[in-house]
Every structure is written in structure tokens, then in C-alpha cells.
Amino acid sequence: MSSAGPVHVRFFAAPADLAPFFSTIYRIDVDLPDGEVITDYLQPAWTNLRFHTGNPARMLAPTSPIDGTARFSVAGPSASLSKYELGRASIWGFGLFPQGWARFIGRVASEYADDRFDGERTEGFSHLSPLCDILCGDGEDVEDQFERAMRFFRECNDTSRDSDRIRAAQEAMLDPHLLHVEDFAARVGVSKRTLERLCNRHFGFPPRLLLRRQRIIRVLTAFMLERGSWNAVIDSNYHDHPHFVHEFKTFIGMSPSEYAAMPHPMQAAFVADRRRVWGSPAQAPHRPK
């Protein structure tokens, strides 16, 4: 259990046969008086499926804003920051690795990138709506909900075709020194053109952008975890501080100092788990587990 003020997060380990598909599984309980909300920003992430009980989160998205009533919301793979508000609620969240997207969704990920959807009303996600009956009820046993959800995912048809290549790409991206698309393609064992198609279909973005995004998320996670100076956690592969600031603004939409000055009630509960998923900055002395 991880807590940050009124936010209480419990993480669940996926069963071994499903572990390659989930970046994280969590249950959030937000303990606030009725009518009060907390505000935070979702950092760039892989796809997230969220099932709400209580007050659904209010999220803003470029083309498909969630109106605050969806009990099943989907955040596609993202490369930008998005603002949201959340009141008293309980939320089950399932982060999908690209392998999970390929297996459970099976659509072209780039068509859903940097956007939010009502899962029950959106073709491509509505087949997961039966999970609402499992996860959106009051007073349910949390352990039982988790076990039933895992059985549901286990019974989903496997839509993936590129499992080995997707896994190779995911593993390659954990290397903080992987900087060039040519090297990325070599690690996966495909041509640059094939890698482009693979990444757009299952990861949501072209390879070069994925590598840049990966670096900024590592640094952002390290800063949130260490709460030190930016200079202490900046990836050593950035040319200089202005280069880092430029990349930070490109993905996060504000300067590092502006981001650091903001409260992060939700993200504070997630930073350790994000390091596990995204890896450590290049200057760190250890490899991610």
C-alpha cells in the first residue's frame, strides 16, 4: 500500500502467465469529503484502463474529452501531460504494456494515442465492458475482484501476431543508452521500416519519438522519487541543460521548474512503480529490475 495524503494506492502483481501484458495493476481509494477534489497531471504512460466507483475522474483530451460520467475510461498511449480532477472515489487501474495492447485490444495504437475514451461507448474497448460488473460495485471484496478480473483477461482471445518482436522492443527500450533508431531496429532484429510499422501499431508512436519520450519519463520519474535537483537526475545523454529543457517542454508542456512547483498528490503514490516500468536514467549505477 502506498499513500500520499487522501490518496491510497495498492499495487497487485499479475499472475505469471499475464505478467508480460500489464505494466501495472492498482486500486486507488481517494478519501475526500463530498464535493472536494484533487487536481493532478497524468504523466506520459502506456495505455490505462480505469474502472470507477464513486466520482469518475474528469479528464481533458484533444478530441474525445471524458465528461465525468464514464465508469470505464481508457487513456491511450500518451506522450504528453494531461490534467484531471478526482473526488471521493475508488478506481481499479490496469496499465497495458504494448504486448497487452496487442493481445487485449489488437487495433492500431497510433489511432488512439494521446487521447481519452469512454470504454463502454467506444468501438475497440467495449468488449472489455463486462469488467464493469466485476470492478465498479460498492462493498466488493478487493481480492475477489482482482481474481475475477484476471480470469476475464485470461479468457480474452489473443489478438497478437508480433509477440516476440514487441517483447524485444520493450526490453530494448529499457536501455538508457539506446539513442538511435538504427540501433533500436538492430536490437529487435528488423529493418527500420518494419520497426516503424511495429511501433505505430502496438506502441502508438514512431521509434524516434518513443526513444525521446522514454528518456524524459525516466528523468521525470527519478526527480519525483528523489525530490532533488534536476541536475542530479538529468540523463547524461542530453547534450546540455538547454537540450533537456527543450525536450521537457516538448513532452510535458511546461518548464521543469514550473512542473516541480506543482503539487502531485496522485503521482507521488506511483513514482516507485514508474521506475520499475520505465527504467533508470543513464547516469544511475544499476539496471532496472
Side-chain angles (χ1 to χ4, degrees):
M1 175 77 75
S2 176
S3 297
V7 180
H8 310 283
V9 182
R10 180 179 174 185
F11 294 99
F12 292 78
D17 61 319
L18 294 176
F21 308 112
F22 293 101
S23 60
T24 186
I25 302 173
Y26 55 89
R27 159 81 178 222
I28 300 175
D29 291 290
V30 181
D31 186 13
L32 285 172
D34 289 338
E36 289 190 17
V37 297
I38 57 173
T39 301
D40 205 342
Y41 289 80
L42 292 173
Q43 297 176 6
W46 297 127
T47 298
N48 255 272
L49 315 175
R50 297 184 179 91
F51 298 85
H52 305 258
T53 302
N55 298 296
R58 294 175 56 83
M59 300 182 186
L60 299 178
T63 60
S64 305
I66 297 296
D67 62 8
T69 62
R71 59 176 183 167
F72 168 29
S73 64
V74 181
S78 60
S80 59
L81 212 62
S82 58
K83 183 178 180 179
Y84 68 99
E85 294 179 345
L86 184 63
R88 186 180 186 89
S90 296
I91 301 172
W92 275 99
F94 300 84
L96 300 183
F97 277 129
Q99 273 192 284
W101 175 275
R103 172 164 179 169
F104 302 125
I105 310 299
R107 293 176 174 258
V108 178
S110 60
E111 296 178 1
Y112 299 86
D114 276 324
D115 217 340
R116 308 286 182 267
F117 306 90
D118 182 333
E120 291 185 277
R121 300 178 182 179
T122 304
E123 186 178 2
F125 305 117
S126 58
H127 63 288
L128 301 177
S129 294
L131 283 166
C132 293
D133 297 332
I134 299 172
L135 302 172
C136 297
D138 285 316
E140 300 288 340
D141 180 81
V142 172
E143 295 288 349
D144 182 61
Q145 286 181 307
F146 173 72
E147 293 298 333
R148 291 170 65 194
M150 292 299 97
R151 286 198 295 271
F152 178 90
F153 281 113
R154 193 174 281 118
E155 292 169 2
C156 286
N157 291 329
D158 188 351
T159 62
S160 62
R161 299 179 180 178
D162 299 314
S163 294
D164 291 342
R165 290 175 173 178
I166 298 169
R167 183 172 59 253
Q170 286 180 190
E171 292 174 354
M173 289 172 62
L174 284 177
D175 183 352
H177 299 290
L178 181 63
L179 305 177
H180 304 293
V181 174
E182 293 83 359
D183 297 331
F184 192 5
R187 295 279 191 93
V188 182
V190 297
S191 68
K192 288 173 59 177
R193 186 171 181 178
T194 297
L195 181 67
E196 187 94 12
R197 290 197 298 267
L198 181 82
C199 289
N200 278 304
R201 180 167 187 83
H202 302 299
F203 291 71
F205 303 100
R208 183 172 182 273
L209 190 145
L210 279 173
L211 294 179
R212 292 170 58 210
R213 167 182 175 268
Q214 189 89 354
R215 291 170 66 195
I216 207 71
I217 295 174
R218 286 194 194 101
V219 175
L220 191 58
T221 300
F223 176 80
M224 292 289 292
L225 191 62
E226 305 297 340
R227 275 300 178 183
S229 69
W230 287 109
N231 287 336
V233 297
I234 290 177
D235 189 314
S236 61
N237 290 308
Y238 287 111
H239 303 316
D240 50 29
H241 191 78
H243 180 209
F244 164 69
V245 172
H246 177 269
E247 288 290 274
F248 194 95
K249 288 181 177 179
T250 297
F251 288 98
I252 307 304
M254 63 185 75
S255 71
S257 58
E258 288 173 321
Y259 184 85
M262 297 165 54
H264 299 285
M266 293 287 286
Q267 294 301 328
F270 278 83
V271 288
D273 194 65
R274 286 178 65 83
R275 170 168 280 183
R276 177 186 64 81
V277 173
W278 297 98
S280 300
Q283 78 274 19
H286 62 276
R287 291 279 294 168
K289 293 183 180 179

